[in-house]
Amino acid sequence: MRQTSLIGKTLSALALATCVIAPGIAQAVDYPTRPVRLVVAYPPGGTTDTQARILAQKLSERWKQQVVVENKPGGNTVIATLQVANSAPDGYTLLMTAMPFALNPLVMDSLPYDTKKDLAPVTLLTSVPSVFITHPGMNVKTVGEFIKKYKGSADEPIPFGSAGTLTFTHLGGELFASQSGIKFQHIPYKGSSPAHQDLVAGRIKAMFDNGALELIKSGRVVALGVTSDKRLPWLPDVPTIAEQGFPGFQAAAWFGIFTKGGTPKEVIAKISEDITWAIRSPEVVEKLTSAGVFPGGGTPEEFQAFLDSEVKRWGPIIKEQNIKIQ
């Protein structure tokens, strides 16, 4: 009798566990059954927006549900992040953001959300090596010429633009300044597009950028070096910064997808798998690489490990430059 009782209790426990687990699995199998919102932390027209719309189109085809892109720039990605942090934990609101998301806790005294609890990583979407570009009026063609002409200059610090504080277009410049001794004056913009306009007009003089391929090819800006460890296929004549006297100089911007914390793991895993499929599909790879972007993909766990490494990598630069956002 005692053995029968134990078996009965065990079967009851298994049945209860099945009831608990089943809803998450069911959601993952059915997801999505309605339109999905993709909240983008940057304005229309830039590199981030372009990637978001390519992804949205591909996912809409796979899911047979519309993926609606909503641009919510501002607050150093905080506005878009807060919107997703306040959404339902069901996977129907996704966030596309970049480096500042991971680094904001290091430079802001308080945030209106808990990065670890209120958001959940889905997958690393893409990485984008940047190019050190200058206005043609600087009259330099290499990193060496730039340093020789402007290091130790008695003039005012050189104004360099970025797509926003804590983006790689900002931190890449700070890293270069730290290693080269060049004095830069950082001017943040709300995305790359307005910074491009001021660079072409000569209102800023330099930029570490990841979306200026057409400007480089047209001669409206001059490419001095790339931040990758190897030359880029689409700019084979532009040497790496590492080649030009800075061994080990290597970094890239990145873009990733998050959703509301507490979303069932099975749902997150399905979204991650489908985005990885989309971003690695041949037609998407062709579109991205032609624009100077490397496709990513991978599991939520791999993305979390990457986020942790980025905080460790850039924390010392942030501290050294005393970067703060009020």
Side-chain angles (χ1 to χ4, degrees):
M1 290 292 293
R2 187 170 181 274
Q3 184 178 9
T4 303
S5 177
L6 286 174
I7 292 173
K9 288 181 180 180
T10 301
L11 290 174
S12 297
L14 287 172
L16 178 61
T18 302
C19 290
V20 172
I21 295 171
I25 296 173
Q27 288 180 49
V29 171
D30 294 339
Y31 177 94
T33 59
R34 63 179 189 271
V36 176
R37 296 165 60 212
L38 178 58
V39 181
V40 180
Y42 294 93
T47 301
T48 319
D49 181 63
T50 300
Q51 294 177 54
R53 294 181 188 279
I54 291 173
L55 176 65
Q57 179 181 352
K58 195 67 179 175
L59 288 178
S60 295
E61 294 172 2
R62 184 173 180 84
W63 288 341
K64 309 302 181 185
Q65 294 288 343
Q66 186 177 11
V67 177
V68 182
V69 175
E70 297 182 8
N71 298 89
K72 298 291 181 180
N76 210 47
T77 75
V78 170
I79 291 175
T81 303
L82 181 60
Q83 185 162 343
V84 178
N86 289 335
S87 67
D90 55 14
Y92 283 87
T93 304
L94 305 178
L95 171 69
M96 181 174 175
T97 188
M99 186 181 290
F101 170 90
L103 302 182
N104 276 336
L106 302 181
V107 300
M108 293 183 177
D109 292 332
S110 63
L111 287 167
Y113 52 80
D114 187 311
T115 303
K116 292 284 189 179
K117 293 181 180 179
D118 295 333
L119 285 303
V122 177
T123 192
L124 176 67
L125 189 66
T126 58
S127 62
V128 191
S130 288
V131 185
F132 182 17
I133 54 178
T134 61
H135 184 270
M138 301 289 281
N139 294 318
V140 292
K141 294 183 178 180
T142 67
V143 169
E145 289 179 7
F146 183 89
I147 293 174
K148 183 177 180 179
K149 186 171 183 177
Y150 294 104
K151 184 176 180 179
S153 171
D155 296 335
E156 293 295 320
I158 298 168
F160 90 97
S162 78
T165 303
L166 290 191
T167 62
F168 176 73
T169 58
H170 170 208
L171 294 181
E174 298 289 6
L175 179 62
F176 179 76
S178 175
Q179 294 190 9
S180 68
I182 292 290
K183 293 182 179 179
F184 277 145
Q185 177 192 0
H186 176 228
I187 302 176
Y189 291 81
K190 292 182 178 180
S192 291
S193 293
H196 289 169
Q197 295 172 16
D198 276 4
L199 180 60
V200 171
R203 287 185 283 270
I204 57 175
K205 302 300 182 183
M207 188 175 179
F208 279 73
D209 188 66
N210 47 42
L213 191 57
E214 292 304 317
L215 295 179
I216 294 168
K217 289 182 176 180
S218 66
R220 286 177 286 175
V221 300
V222 178
L224 304 187
V226 298
T227 64
S228 51
D229 60 340
K230 297 178 181 179
R231 296 193 184 197
L232 302 177
W234 45 88
L235 291 172
D237 296 328
V238 180
T240 67
I241 291 176
E243 283 180 71
Q244 300 181 74
F246 295 88
F249 192 105
Q250 179 186 352
W254 57 264
F255 301 90
I257 302 294
F258 297 80
T259 192
K260 167 68 176 177
T263 299
K265 291 183 178 180
E266 296 83 4
V267 174
I268 294 176
K270 184 177 190 303
I271 299 170
S272 175
E273 180 181 339
D274 288 344
I275 290 176
T276 297
W277 168 85
I279 208 69
R280 293 179 181 177
S281 62
E283 62 270 33
V284 172
V285 170
E286 183 178 354
K287 288 180 181 178
L288 293 177
T289 54
S290 66
V293 178
F294 290 120
T299 67
E301 293 76 19
E302 290 169 338
F303 189 24
Q304 183 60 64
F306 173 79
L307 293 170
D308 293 340
S309 71
E310 283 292 276
V311 172
K312 184 176 181 180
R313 175 186 183 85
W314 293 108
I317 294 293
I318 290 171
K319 184 176 181 180
E320 176 185 322
Q321 298 298 324
N322 193 30
I323 299 170
K324 288 287 183 181
I325 298 177
Q326 300 299 325

